[in-house]
Amino acid sequence: MVSKPAPPVTLVIFGATGDLTRRLLIPAIINLTRSGLVGKDLEILGVGIEEGNDEFLRTRLDEFLSHLNSGGEEETPKDEAWFSLRSRISYLSGDFTKNQIFEEIGRRIDPAGNAAFYLAVPPSFFGPIVEKLAEHGLMTESDNCFRRVAIEKPFGTDLASARALNAQILARIAESQVYRLDHFLGKETVQNLMTARFANMMIEALWNSNYIDHVQITAAEIVDVGSRGKFYDATGALRDMVPNHLFQLLAMIAMEPPNSFDAEAIRNEKSKVLKALRIYTVEEAEAHGVRGAYGAGTLNGNQLPAYRETKDISSESRTETFVALKLYADTWRWAGVPFYLRTGKALTARDTEIVITFKKVPFAQFRETDVTRRLPPNRLVIQVQPDEGMSMEISIKTPGQSVETVPVSLDFRYADKFDIGHTTGYESLIYDLFIGDQTLFQRADSIEAGWAAVQPFLDAWAQNMSVPDVYAPGSMGPASADELIRRDGREWHELGVLLHAQRT
Ligand code: BG6
Protein backbone atom coordinates (compact mmCIF):
# COMPACT_ATOMS: atom_id res chain seq x y z
CA MET A 1 0.00 0.00 0.00
CA VAL A 2 1.50 3.33 -1.06
CA SER A 3 1.23 6.08 1.55
CA LYS A 4 -0.51 9.30 0.60
CA PRO A 5 1.05 12.70 1.31
CA ALA A 6 -0.04 14.21 4.63
CA PRO A 7 -2.70 16.96 4.54
CA PRO A 8 -1.71 20.63 4.97
CA VAL A 9 -0.81 21.31 8.59
CA THR A 10 0.94 23.76 10.88
CA LEU A 11 3.21 21.95 13.30
CA VAL A 12 3.71 24.02 16.44
CA ILE A 13 6.73 22.72 18.35
CA PHE A 14 7.00 23.73 22.01
CA GLY A 15 10.67 23.37 22.92
CA ALA A 16 11.87 24.29 19.42
CA THR A 17 15.43 25.10 20.49
CA GLY A 18 15.86 21.85 22.39
CA ASP A 19 17.74 18.70 21.64
CA LEU A 20 14.78 16.59 20.54
CA THR A 21 13.71 19.13 17.92
CA ARG A 22 17.07 19.40 16.24
CA ARG A 23 18.27 15.83 16.64
CA LEU A 24 15.08 13.99 15.77
CA LEU A 25 12.05 16.05 14.78
CA ILE A 26 13.59 18.27 12.11
CA PRO A 27 15.72 15.46 10.55
CA ALA A 28 12.60 13.24 10.49
CA ILE A 29 10.58 15.98 8.77
CA ILE A 30 13.38 16.47 6.25
CA ASN A 31 13.25 12.74 5.50
CA LEU A 32 9.46 12.90 5.11
CA THR A 33 9.84 15.89 2.79
CA ARG A 34 12.38 14.01 0.74
CA SER A 35 10.12 11.01 0.36
CA GLY A 36 7.19 13.25 -0.64
CA LEU A 37 5.07 12.32 2.40
CA VAL A 38 4.90 15.91 3.56
CA GLY A 39 4.71 18.73 1.08
CA LYS A 40 5.09 22.46 0.80
CA ASP A 41 1.86 22.93 2.73
CA LEU A 42 3.60 22.02 6.00
CA GLU A 43 4.42 25.06 8.13
CA ILE A 44 6.49 24.83 11.30
CA LEU A 45 6.09 27.29 14.12
CA GLY A 46 8.78 26.79 16.75
CA VAL A 47 8.07 28.05 20.25
CA GLY A 48 10.86 28.48 22.79
CA ILE A 49 11.95 30.42 25.80
CA GLU A 50 15.04 31.89 24.12
CA GLU A 51 14.79 35.35 22.55
CA GLY A 52 14.88 35.43 18.77
CA ASN A 53 13.11 35.82 15.45
CA ASP A 54 12.43 33.36 12.62
CA GLU A 55 15.98 33.64 11.33
CA PHE A 56 17.32 32.80 14.81
CA LEU A 57 15.72 29.35 14.77
CA ARG A 58 16.54 28.69 11.12
CA THR A 59 20.21 29.50 11.71
CA ARG A 60 20.29 27.39 14.85
CA LEU A 61 18.98 24.41 12.91
CA ASP A 62 21.33 25.18 10.00
CA GLU A 63 24.30 25.06 12.34
CA PHE A 64 23.16 21.85 13.90
CA LEU A 65 22.66 20.15 10.55
CA SER A 66 26.11 21.33 9.39
CA HIS A 67 27.54 19.83 12.53
CA LEU A 68 25.88 16.53 11.70
CA ASN A 69 27.39 16.74 8.21
CA SER A 70 30.92 17.29 9.41
CA GLY A 71 30.56 14.67 12.13
CA GLY A 72 30.43 12.05 9.39
CA GLU A 73 28.49 9.62 11.56
CA GLU A 74 25.09 10.60 10.21
CA GLU A 75 23.91 10.80 6.64
CA THR A 76 23.61 14.42 5.56
CA PRO A 77 20.10 15.74 5.82
CA LYS A 78 21.01 19.23 4.56
CA ASP A 79 19.89 19.30 0.96
CA GLU A 80 17.08 20.72 -1.18
CA ALA A 81 14.49 19.23 1.14
CA TRP A 82 15.99 21.16 4.04
CA PHE A 83 16.21 24.44 2.14
CA SER A 84 12.59 24.16 1.07
CA LEU A 85 11.53 23.42 4.64
CA ARG A 86 13.78 26.11 6.11
CA SER A 87 11.76 28.93 4.54
CA ARG A 88 8.59 27.58 6.16
CA ILE A 89 9.99 27.60 9.70
CA SER A 90 9.11 30.50 11.96
CA TYR A 91 9.81 31.19 15.62
CA LEU A 92 8.00 32.63 18.57
CA SER A 93 9.73 33.24 21.87
CA GLY A 94 7.93 33.44 25.18
CA ASP A 95 6.91 31.85 28.42
CA PHE A 96 4.73 28.72 28.06
CA THR A 97 2.99 29.45 31.32
CA LYS A 98 1.71 32.89 30.21
CA ASN A 99 -1.38 33.67 28.12
CA GLN A 100 0.45 36.01 25.79
CA ILE A 101 2.23 33.28 23.86
CA PHE A 102 -0.98 31.35 23.27
CA GLU A 103 -2.69 34.51 22.00
CA GLU A 104 0.22 35.01 19.61
CA ILE A 105 0.04 31.38 18.43
CA GLY A 106 -3.67 31.96 17.78
CA ARG A 107 -2.77 34.92 15.56
CA ARG A 108 -0.09 32.98 13.70
CA ILE A 109 -2.07 29.88 12.74
CA ASP A 110 -5.01 29.70 10.36
CA PRO A 111 -8.14 29.49 12.57
CA ALA A 112 -9.75 27.19 10.01
CA GLY A 113 -6.61 25.15 9.35
CA ASN A 114 -5.12 21.94 10.71
CA ALA A 115 -2.65 22.21 13.56
CA ALA A 116 -0.57 19.70 15.53
CA PHE A 117 1.09 20.83 18.76
CA TYR A 118 4.23 18.92 19.68
CA LEU A 119 5.25 19.11 23.33
CA ALA A 120 9.03 18.60 23.27
CA VAL A 121 9.26 20.14 26.75
CA PRO A 122 9.87 18.94 30.32
CA PRO A 123 6.93 16.87 31.61
CA SER A 124 5.83 19.48 34.15
CA PHE A 125 4.62 21.58 31.18
CA PHE A 126 2.46 18.88 29.54
CA GLY A 127 -0.75 19.46 31.50
CA PRO A 128 -0.51 23.27 31.73
CA ILE A 129 0.22 23.68 27.99
CA VAL A 130 -2.76 21.52 27.00
CA GLU A 131 -4.97 23.56 29.37
CA LYS A 132 -3.80 26.83 27.89
CA LEU A 133 -4.20 25.59 24.31
CA ALA A 134 -7.77 24.55 25.09
CA GLU A 135 -8.57 27.78 26.97
CA HIS A 136 -7.46 29.81 23.98
CA GLY A 137 -9.67 27.80 21.63
CA LEU A 138 -6.64 26.35 19.85
CA MET A 139 -7.78 22.74 20.33
CA THR A 140 -11.26 23.28 18.88
CA GLU A 141 -11.77 21.06 15.85
CA SER A 142 -14.33 21.39 13.06
CA ASP A 143 -15.45 19.07 10.27
CA ASN A 144 -12.72 20.55 8.12
CA CYS A 145 -9.83 20.92 10.51
CA PHE A 146 -8.09 18.88 13.14
CA ARG A 147 -6.25 19.93 16.27
CA ARG A 148 -3.91 17.35 17.86
CA VAL A 149 -1.29 17.29 20.55
CA ALA A 150 1.76 15.03 20.64
CA ILE A 151 3.18 14.37 24.11
CA GLU A 152 6.63 12.94 24.72
CA LYS A 153 7.53 10.62 27.56
CA PRO A 154 7.71 10.40 30.55
CA PHE A 155 3.94 10.43 30.94
CA GLY A 156 3.75 10.54 34.73
CA THR A 157 6.25 9.23 37.24
CA ASP A 158 3.96 6.69 38.91
CA LEU A 159 0.38 5.49 38.73
CA ALA A 160 -1.12 8.43 40.63
CA SER A 161 0.66 11.10 38.59
CA ALA A 162 -0.14 9.38 35.26
CA ARG A 163 -3.82 9.23 36.25
CA ALA A 164 -3.78 12.87 37.29
CA LEU A 165 -2.14 13.94 34.02
CA ASN A 166 -4.62 11.96 31.94
CA ALA A 167 -7.49 13.50 33.91
CA GLN A 168 -6.10 17.01 33.48
CA ILE A 169 -5.71 16.56 29.72
CA LEU A 170 -8.93 14.68 29.08
CA ALA A 171 -10.94 17.28 30.99
CA ARG A 172 -10.04 19.68 28.15
CA ILE A 173 -9.66 17.67 24.96
CA ALA A 174 -10.78 14.33 23.53
CA GLU A 175 -8.67 11.16 23.58
CA SER A 176 -8.77 11.23 19.77
CA GLN A 177 -6.73 14.46 19.90
CA VAL A 178 -4.00 13.06 22.17
CA TYR A 179 -0.93 11.36 20.66
CA ARG A 180 1.20 9.99 23.53
CA LEU A 181 4.54 9.07 22.05
CA ASP A 182 6.76 6.13 22.74
CA HIS A 183 9.62 6.33 20.29
CA PHE A 184 10.11 2.53 20.41
CA LEU A 185 6.92 2.28 18.35
CA GLY A 186 8.66 4.23 15.59
CA LYS A 187 11.22 1.46 15.17
CA GLU A 188 10.75 -0.69 12.06
CA THR A 189 11.43 -3.92 13.95
CA VAL A 190 8.81 -3.07 16.56
CA GLN A 191 6.25 -2.34 13.88
CA ASN A 192 7.19 -5.67 12.29
CA LEU A 193 6.21 -7.61 15.42
CA MET A 194 2.55 -7.71 14.48
CA THR A 195 3.33 -8.76 10.92
CA ALA A 196 5.73 -11.47 12.11
CA ARG A 197 3.00 -12.86 14.32
CA PHE A 198 -0.18 -12.37 12.36
CA ALA A 199 1.09 -12.93 8.81
CA ASN A 200 2.82 -16.23 9.64
CA MET A 201 0.80 -19.26 10.57
CA MET A 202 3.87 -21.21 11.66
CA ILE A 203 4.69 -18.55 14.23
CA GLU A 204 1.25 -17.69 15.50
CA ALA A 205 0.12 -21.33 15.75
CA LEU A 206 2.78 -21.95 18.42
CA TRP A 207 2.30 -18.64 20.19
CA ASN A 208 0.87 -19.77 23.54
CA SER A 209 1.59 -21.49 26.81
CA ASN A 210 1.31 -24.95 25.23
CA TYR A 211 4.52 -24.36 23.28
CA ILE A 212 6.28 -21.38 24.81
CA ASP A 213 8.34 -21.86 27.96
CA HIS A 214 9.17 -18.23 28.64
CA VAL A 215 9.81 -14.84 27.03
CA GLN A 216 12.78 -12.52 27.61
CA ILE A 217 12.66 -8.85 26.70
CA THR A 218 15.92 -6.95 26.97
CA ALA A 219 16.97 -3.37 26.28
CA ALA A 220 20.66 -3.21 27.10
CA GLU A 221 22.73 -0.10 26.54
CA ILE A 222 26.47 0.52 26.59
CA VAL A 223 26.01 4.22 27.29
CA ASP A 224 26.26 5.29 30.90
CA VAL A 225 24.28 8.06 32.55
CA GLY A 226 26.80 10.67 31.35
CA SER A 227 25.53 14.22 31.59
CA ARG A 228 21.88 13.21 32.20
CA GLY A 229 22.44 12.83 35.94
CA LYS A 230 19.77 15.28 37.09
CA PHE A 231 17.02 13.66 35.07
CA TYR A 232 18.25 10.14 35.61
CA ASP A 233 18.69 10.19 39.37
CA ALA A 234 15.07 11.25 39.79
CA THR A 235 13.94 8.62 37.31
CA GLY A 236 15.97 5.39 37.34
CA ALA A 237 15.94 2.47 34.92
CA LEU A 238 12.49 1.19 35.92
CA ARG A 239 10.59 4.41 35.22
CA ASP A 240 12.77 5.35 32.26
CA MET A 241 12.32 2.13 30.28
CA VAL A 242 9.82 -0.37 31.66
CA PRO A 243 6.23 0.99 31.77
CA ASN A 244 6.81 2.56 28.38
CA HIS A 245 9.33 0.96 25.98
CA LEU A 246 9.55 -2.57 27.38
CA PHE A 247 5.81 -2.81 27.98
CA GLN A 248 5.15 -1.73 24.41
CA LEU A 249 7.28 -4.66 23.24
CA LEU A 250 5.54 -6.97 25.69
CA ALA A 251 2.11 -5.81 24.51
CA MET A 252 3.00 -6.48 20.86
CA ILE A 253 4.29 -9.94 21.75
CA ALA A 254 1.40 -10.91 24.02
CA MET A 255 -1.66 -9.24 22.46
CA GLU A 256 -4.45 -11.22 20.83
CA PRO A 257 -4.96 -10.77 17.07
CA PRO A 258 -7.02 -7.62 16.50
CA ASN A 259 -10.19 -7.95 14.41
CA SER A 260 -8.80 -5.38 11.99
CA PHE A 261 -5.76 -3.19 11.55
CA ASP A 262 -7.82 -0.26 12.68
CA ALA A 263 -6.06 1.84 15.36
CA GLU A 264 -8.71 1.27 18.02
CA ALA A 265 -8.87 -2.48 17.39
CA ILE A 266 -5.10 -2.74 17.88
CA ARG A 267 -5.05 -0.42 20.88
CA ASN A 268 -7.86 -2.40 22.49
CA GLU A 269 -5.86 -5.62 22.26
CA LYS A 270 -2.67 -4.04 23.56
CA SER A 271 -4.54 -2.47 26.40
CA LYS A 272 -6.17 -5.80 27.38
CA VAL A 273 -2.76 -7.44 27.74
CA LEU A 274 -1.33 -4.61 29.81
CA LYS A 275 -4.37 -4.75 32.06
CA ALA A 276 -3.78 -8.49 32.47
CA LEU A 277 -0.27 -7.99 33.86
CA ARG A 278 -0.25 -9.44 37.34
CA ILE A 279 -0.27 -6.77 40.02
CA TYR A 280 2.10 -7.95 42.72
CA THR A 281 1.95 -7.24 46.40
CA VAL A 282 4.94 -5.30 47.70
CA GLU A 283 6.41 -8.57 49.04
CA GLU A 284 5.95 -10.29 45.68
CA ALA A 285 7.56 -7.33 43.94
CA GLU A 286 10.60 -7.66 46.21
CA ALA A 287 10.86 -11.31 45.21
CA HIS A 288 10.33 -10.78 41.48
CA GLY A 289 12.45 -7.71 40.87
CA VAL A 290 16.16 -6.96 41.02
CA ARG A 291 17.81 -3.58 40.72
CA GLY A 292 21.43 -2.66 40.19
CA ALA A 293 23.68 0.36 39.83
CA TYR A 294 27.02 0.27 38.07
CA GLY A 295 30.19 0.61 40.09
CA ALA A 296 33.48 2.12 38.94
CA GLY A 297 35.34 0.31 36.18
CA THR A 298 36.32 0.27 32.54
CA LEU A 299 33.78 0.71 29.79
CA ASN A 300 34.86 0.59 26.15
CA GLY A 301 38.46 1.11 27.24
CA ASN A 302 37.64 4.23 29.29
CA GLN A 303 37.56 4.62 33.05
CA LEU A 304 34.01 5.11 34.25
CA PRO A 305 33.25 6.45 37.73
CA ALA A 306 30.64 4.59 39.76
CA TYR A 307 27.08 5.78 39.18
CA ARG A 308 27.01 7.33 42.64
CA GLU A 309 30.18 9.28 41.86
CA THR A 310 28.76 10.73 38.63
CA LYS A 311 28.10 14.46 38.21
CA ASP A 312 24.69 15.52 39.59
CA ILE A 313 24.18 12.19 41.40
CA SER A 314 24.03 12.09 45.15
CA SER A 315 26.60 9.80 46.76
CA GLU A 316 23.65 8.46 48.81
CA SER A 317 21.59 7.76 45.69
CA ARG A 318 19.43 4.62 45.72
CA THR A 319 18.46 5.01 42.06
CA GLU A 320 18.88 1.95 39.86
CA THR A 321 20.67 1.92 36.49
CA PHE A 322 19.66 -1.69 35.87
CA VAL A 323 16.46 -3.57 36.51
CA ALA A 324 15.33 -7.15 35.93
CA LEU A 325 11.75 -8.28 36.52
CA LYS A 326 9.75 -11.46 36.28
CA LEU A 327 6.16 -10.76 35.26
CA TYR A 328 3.05 -12.67 34.22
CA ALA A 329 0.24 -11.76 31.85
CA ASP A 330 -2.75 -13.50 33.36
CA THR A 331 -4.62 -14.48 30.22
CA TRP A 332 -5.74 -17.81 28.77
CA ARG A 333 -2.94 -17.71 26.18
CA TRP A 334 -0.12 -16.89 28.58
CA ALA A 335 -1.16 -18.71 31.75
CA GLY A 336 1.98 -19.67 33.67
CA VAL A 337 4.47 -18.28 31.09
CA PRO A 338 6.96 -15.94 32.76
CA PHE A 339 8.05 -12.76 31.00
CA TYR A 340 11.55 -11.80 32.13
CA LEU A 341 12.41 -8.16 31.43
CA ARG A 342 15.74 -6.44 31.90
CA THR A 343 17.26 -3.12 30.98
CA GLY A 344 20.31 -1.21 32.05
CA LYS A 345 23.07 1.23 31.26
CA ALA A 346 26.86 0.69 31.04
CA LEU A 347 26.38 -2.94 30.02
CA THR A 348 28.44 -5.13 27.73
CA ALA A 349 26.47 -4.50 24.53
CA ARG A 350 23.81 -2.34 22.98
CA ASP A 351 21.19 -4.94 22.39
CA THR A 352 17.42 -4.64 22.33
CA GLU A 353 15.97 -8.07 21.74
CA ILE A 354 13.03 -10.34 22.40
CA VAL A 355 13.80 -14.00 22.91
CA ILE A 356 11.00 -16.54 22.80
CA THR A 357 12.11 -19.88 24.22
CA PHE A 358 9.90 -22.80 23.26
CA LYS A 359 9.29 -25.86 25.39
CA LYS A 360 11.57 -28.83 24.99
CA VAL A 361 10.48 -31.68 22.73
CA PRO A 362 9.14 -34.79 24.47
CA PHE A 363 12.36 -36.61 23.42
CA ALA A 364 10.54 -39.79 22.39
CA GLN A 365 12.80 -40.83 19.54
CA PHE A 366 15.98 -39.89 21.36
CA ARG A 367 15.23 -41.71 24.58
CA GLU A 368 18.27 -43.26 26.27
CA THR A 369 20.73 -41.51 24.01
CA ASP A 370 23.08 -38.75 24.92
CA VAL A 371 21.18 -36.41 22.68
CA THR A 372 18.33 -35.95 25.14
CA ARG A 373 20.52 -34.16 27.58
CA ARG A 374 22.03 -31.82 25.01
CA LEU A 375 18.99 -30.97 22.92
CA PRO A 376 18.38 -27.26 23.48
CA PRO A 377 14.89 -25.79 23.08
CA ASN A 378 14.01 -23.86 19.93
CA ARG A 379 14.35 -20.13 20.26
CA LEU A 380 13.11 -17.24 18.22
CA VAL A 381 15.31 -14.20 18.66
CA ILE A 382 13.88 -10.91 17.47
CA GLN A 383 16.71 -8.41 17.23
CA VAL A 384 15.05 -5.03 17.65
CA GLN A 385 18.35 -3.12 17.41
CA PRO A 386 21.10 -2.91 16.30
CA ASP A 387 21.55 -5.27 13.30
CA GLU A 388 17.76 -5.52 13.06
CA GLY A 389 16.49 -8.95 12.17
CA MET A 390 15.17 -12.29 13.38
CA SER A 391 16.75 -15.68 13.99
CA MET A 392 15.20 -19.04 14.58
CA GLU A 393 17.30 -21.55 16.46
CA ILE A 394 16.58 -25.16 15.59
CA SER A 395 18.38 -28.46 16.13
CA ILE A 396 19.69 -30.50 13.23
CA LYS A 397 21.55 -33.78 12.90
CA THR A 398 25.21 -33.42 12.10
CA PRO A 399 26.34 -35.36 9.01
CA GLY A 400 27.62 -38.86 9.82
CA GLN A 401 26.49 -42.25 11.05
CA SER A 402 25.78 -41.45 14.67
CA VAL A 403 22.83 -39.37 15.87
CA GLU A 404 24.48 -36.15 16.92
CA THR A 405 22.47 -32.95 16.99
CA VAL A 406 23.62 -29.35 16.94
CA PRO A 407 21.65 -26.15 17.25
CA VAL A 408 21.82 -23.93 14.16
CA SER A 409 20.38 -20.53 13.48
CA LEU A 410 18.18 -19.49 10.54
CA ASP A 411 18.91 -15.80 10.20
CA PHE A 412 17.25 -12.84 8.58
CA ARG A 413 18.88 -9.39 8.73
CA TYR A 414 17.02 -6.36 7.39
CA ALA A 415 20.23 -4.88 6.03
CA ASP A 416 20.90 -7.96 3.87
CA LYS A 417 17.57 -7.67 2.12
CA PHE A 418 16.59 -4.01 2.13
CA ASP A 419 18.16 -0.64 1.75
CA ILE A 420 17.03 0.67 5.13
CA GLY A 421 18.96 3.93 4.77
CA HIS A 422 19.21 6.41 7.59
CA THR A 423 16.05 7.27 9.47
CA THR A 424 15.51 8.75 12.89
CA GLY A 425 12.66 6.44 13.91
CA TYR A 426 10.36 9.48 14.21
CA GLU A 427 9.23 9.54 10.56
CA SER A 428 6.24 7.23 10.91
CA LEU A 429 5.24 8.81 14.22
CA ILE A 430 5.15 12.33 12.76
CA TYR A 431 3.46 11.19 9.58
CA ASP A 432 0.81 9.33 11.58
CA LEU A 433 0.24 12.41 13.72
CA PHE A 434 -0.49 14.37 10.53
CA ILE A 435 -2.76 11.76 8.97
CA GLY A 436 -4.57 11.01 12.25
CA ASP A 437 -3.56 7.38 12.76
CA GLN A 438 -3.26 6.67 16.50
CA THR A 439 -2.09 3.04 16.14
CA LEU A 440 1.46 3.80 17.24
CA PHE A 441 0.46 6.05 20.12
CA GLN A 442 -0.45 5.09 23.64
CA ARG A 443 -3.99 5.38 24.92
CA ALA A 444 -4.73 6.67 28.43
CA ASP A 445 -5.84 3.29 29.77
CA SER A 446 -2.71 1.51 28.47
CA ILE A 447 -0.45 4.06 30.11
CA GLU A 448 -2.24 3.63 33.42
CA ALA A 449 -2.21 -0.18 33.14
CA GLY A 450 1.56 -0.06 32.64
CA TRP A 451 2.09 2.11 35.69
CA ALA A 452 -0.22 -0.10 37.75
CA ALA A 453 2.02 -3.11 37.05
CA VAL A 454 5.26 -1.34 38.00
CA GLN A 455 3.84 0.52 41.01
CA PRO A 456 4.47 -2.37 43.47
CA PHE A 457 8.17 -2.34 42.50
CA LEU A 458 8.33 1.42 43.05
CA ASP A 459 6.64 0.98 46.42
CA ALA A 460 8.83 -1.93 47.45
CA TRP A 461 12.04 -0.08 46.60
CA ALA A 462 10.86 3.13 48.24
CA GLN A 463 10.21 1.21 51.48
CA ASN A 464 13.30 -0.95 51.34
CA MET A 465 16.26 1.17 52.42
CA SER A 466 18.87 -1.11 50.83
CA VAL A 467 20.89 0.14 47.86
CA PRO A 468 20.83 -1.41 44.39
CA ASP A 469 23.26 -4.30 43.77
CA VAL A 470 26.53 -3.14 42.25
CA TYR A 471 27.56 -4.46 38.84
CA ALA A 472 30.73 -3.93 36.84
CA PRO A 473 30.52 -1.62 33.81
CA GLY A 474 30.69 -3.72 30.66
CA SER A 475 29.04 -6.71 32.35
CA MET A 476 25.58 -8.24 31.86
CA GLY A 477 24.24 -6.71 35.09
CA PRO A 478 24.36 -7.74 38.75
CA ALA A 479 24.67 -11.37 39.87
CA SER A 480 21.24 -11.07 41.50
CA ALA A 481 19.68 -10.76 38.01
CA ASP A 482 21.18 -14.13 37.10
CA GLU A 483 19.82 -15.59 40.32
CA LEU A 484 16.34 -14.24 39.53
CA ILE A 485 16.12 -16.38 36.40
CA ARG A 486 18.35 -19.29 37.51
CA ARG A 487 16.13 -20.18 40.40
CA ASP A 488 13.53 -21.05 37.74
CA GLY A 489 16.09 -23.29 36.00
CA ARG A 490 16.59 -20.80 33.16
CA GLU A 491 19.36 -18.53 31.85
CA TRP A 492 19.39 -15.08 30.33
CA HIS A 493 20.14 -14.94 26.64
CA GLU A 494 23.72 -13.75 26.32
CA LEU A 495 23.85 -10.04 25.47
CA GLY A 496 25.11 -9.16 22.01
CA VAL A 497 25.68 -12.80 21.16
CA LEU A 498 24.25 -12.59 17.66
CA LEU A 499 26.09 -9.38 17.05
CA HIS A 500 29.38 -10.94 18.09
CA ALA A 501 28.67 -14.00 15.96
CA GLN A 502 28.02 -11.75 12.96
CA ARG A 503 31.26 -9.92 13.31
CA THR A 504 33.44 -13.01 13.51
C1 BG6 B 1 14.81 6.91 26.26
C2 BG6 B 1 15.42 6.85 27.62
O1 BG6 B 1 13.42 6.98 26.34
O2 BG6 B 1 15.19 5.74 25.52
C3 BG6 B 1 16.93 6.73 27.52
O3 BG6 B 1 15.09 8.02 28.36
C4 BG6 B 1 17.31 5.55 26.65
O4 BG6 B 1 17.53 6.60 28.81
C5 BG6 B 1 16.58 5.60 25.32
O5 BG6 B 1 18.71 5.62 26.42
C6 BG6 B 1 16.81 4.34 24.52
O6 BG6 B 1 16.27 4.50 23.24
P1 BG6 B 1 16.98 3.87 21.97
O7 BG6 B 1 16.06 4.18 20.85
O8 BG6 B 1 18.33 4.51 21.85
O9 BG6 B 1 17.09 2.42 22.25
Side-chain angles (χ1 to χ4, degrees):
M1 201 168 59
V2 181
S3 304
K4 292 191 305 231
V9 58
T10 300
L11 177 66
V12 181
I13 306 178
F14 287 88
T17 55
D19 216 36
L20 181 80
T21 305
R22 52 190 200 165
R23 273 187 39 245
L24 296 165
L25 301 185
I26 296 295
I29 294 169
I30 294 173
N31 286 339
L32 286 170
T33 309
R34 222 182 261 153
S35 59
L37 289 177
V38 301
K40 292 205 160 61
D41 41 18
L42 167 74
E43 301 282 338
I44 296 182
L45 172 59
V47 183
I49 200 83
E50 284 179 70
E51 287 287 322
N53 56 14
D54 297 348
E55 201 46 37
F56 156 79
L57 180 59
R58 293 172 185 171
T59 312
R60 265 287 179 90
L61 294 169
D62 258 339
E63 283 162 8
F64 185 74
L65 296 177
S66 310
H67 178 71
L68 278 188
N69 290 344
S70 62
E73 75 284 14
E74 305 266 356
E75 223 173 80
T76 168
K78 208 169 143 190
D79 58 6
E80 234 182 271
W82 162 242
F83 289 112
S84 138
L85 185 68
R86 191 186 187 281
S87 61
R88 284 175 279 122
I89 296 180
S90 51
Y91 184 67
L92 193 56
S93 79
D95 183 342
F96 308 149
T97 61
K98 301 274 160 41
N99 286 331
Q100 201 190 345
I101 199 155
F102 294 89
E103 288 158 10
E104 188 56 35
I105 293 171
R107 282 192 282 274
R108 295 267 197 118
I109 62 178
D110 174 0
N114 298 325
F117 301 93
Y118 200 111
L119 309 193
V121 293
S124 56
F125 289 113
F126 295 163
I129 290 181
V130 172
E131 283 189 339
K132 290 270 183 221
L133 286 171
E135 267 167 33
H136 288 82
L138 296 169
M139 293 305 298
T140 309
E141 300 190 298
S142 72
D143 287 347
N144 302 322
C145 87
F146 66 73
R147 294 300 165 99
R148 299 176 185 142
V149 61
I151 304 181
E152 275 290 336
K153 80 175 255 281
F155 197 94
T157 53
D158 58 11
L159 178 57
S161 58
R163 277 186 180 149
L165 184 54
N166 272 329
Q168 186 180 17
I169 292 170
L170 296 174
R172 302 293 180 141
I173 60 176
E175 179 66 44
S176 59
Q177 296 178 282
V178 189
Y179 288 66
R180 298 177 193 79
L181 259 109
D182 183 312
H183 80 275
F184 263 45
L185 292 175
K187 295 182 193 292
E188 196 59 59
T189 34
V190 177
Q191 291 172 25
N192 181 48
L193 288 173
M194 274 205 299
T195 310
R197 287 188 54 197
F198 304 133
N200 293 297
M201 193 58 180
M202 62 179 275
I203 292 186
E204 189 52 24
L206 304 178
W207 214 251
N208 58 57
S209 63
N210 292 334
Y211 299 102
I212 291 179
D213 176 74
H214 75 281
V215 177
Q216 293 184 19
I217 302 177
T218 299
E221 296 184 274
I222 299 178
V223 289
D224 55 272
V225 170
S227 57
R228 295 173 80 211
K230 257 199 198 110
F231 157 79
Y232 202 84
D233 207 38
T235 307
L238 181 68
R239 287 188 169 95
D240 192 32
M241 298 291 289
V242 178
N244 30 61
H245 306 326
L246 295 196
F247 278 6
Q248 285 302 315
L249 300 183
L250 187 151
M252 300 281 234
I253 290 293
M255 70 192 272
E256 292 300 318
N259 290 344
S260 72
F261 275 98
D262 176 69
E264 268 335 274
I266 293 172
R267 299 204 309 169
N268 284 342
E269 296 307 333
K270 285 172 68 181
S271 167
K272 277 191 220 163
V273 168
L274 293 171
K275 287 176 186 162
L277 285 174
R278 192 175 297 173
I279 309 291
Y280 289 136
T281 60
V282 165
E283 294 72 30
E284 287 168 335
E286 279 286 2
H288 291 114
V290 158
R291 61 199 166 126
Y294 58 82
T298 314
L299 186 66
N300 263 346
N302 299 319
Q303 268 310 111
L304 182 71
Y307 173 69
R308 284 170 143 216
E309 307 302 323
T310 306
K311 183 170 167 285
D312 295 328
I313 310 288
S314 144
S315 58
E316 303 288 300
S317 170
R318 293 195 294 123
T319 300
E320 75 288 351
T321 61
F322 175 98
V323 64
L325 309 177
K326 176 183 171 184
L327 301 174
Y328 287 97
D330 286 327
T331 67
W332 185 282
R333 185 190 283 259
W334 296 109
V337 178
F339 285 76
Y340 298 96
L341 273 52
R342 64 182 164 158
T343 182
K345 302 227 180 263
L347 296 173
T348 178
R350 174 166 186 252
D351 185 357
T352 302
E353 59 172 35
I354 301 163
V355 181
I356 313 290
T357 302
F358 290 87
K359 290 191 169 163
K360 289 192 176 179
V361 292
F363 294 140
Q365 66 276 50
F366 300 116
R367 216 177 292 142
E368 288 161 24
T369 71
D370 226 22
V371 171
T372 54
R373 281 191 294 279
R374 291 197 310 266
L375 210 57
N378 295 135
R379 280 195 301 205
L380 176 67
V381 181
I382 301 169
Q383 187 68 41
V384 176
Q385 66 184 16
D387 282 349
E388 293 78 357
M390 285 170 86
S391 310
M392 187 104 70
E393 294 174 9
I394 61 166
S395 290
I396 56 138
K397 176 186 165 303
T398 54
Q401 307 317 313
S402 60
V403 183
E404 291 286 333
T405 66
V406 288
V408 293
S409 179
L410 310 179
D411 282 324
F412 156 69
R413 301 285 117 194
Y414 271 86
D416 295 343
K417 188 95 184 132
F418 304 103
D419 177 12
I420 41 183
H422 173 73
T423 56
T424 63
Y426 270 70
E427 287 77 2
S428 36
L429 298 171
I430 294 174
Y431 176 71
D432 287 354
L433 169 70
F434 293 164
I435 64 165
D437 182 344
Q438 288 184 302
T439 311
L440 298 179
F441 297 86
Q442 303 194 75
R443 212 168 59 185
D445 56 340
S446 286
I447 294 248
E448 291 177 20
W451 279 114
V454 300
Q455 190 64 47
F457 295 97
L458 294 173
D459 293 342
W461 297 340
Q463 283 170 28
N464 175 342
M465 295 312 285
S466 65
V467 293
D469 302 325
V470 175
Y471 61 94
S475 70
M476 305 241 297
S480 48
D482 295 334
E483 283 152 27
L484 178 81
I485 194 164
R486 270 191 200 141
R487 66 182 185 225
D488 296 338
R490 302 183 175 107
E491 292 286 338
W492 289 112
H493 190 240
E494 197 182 329
L495 286 181
V497 70
L498 284 179
L499 317 174
H500 294 322
Q502 282 236 315
R503 276 185 220 119
T504 50

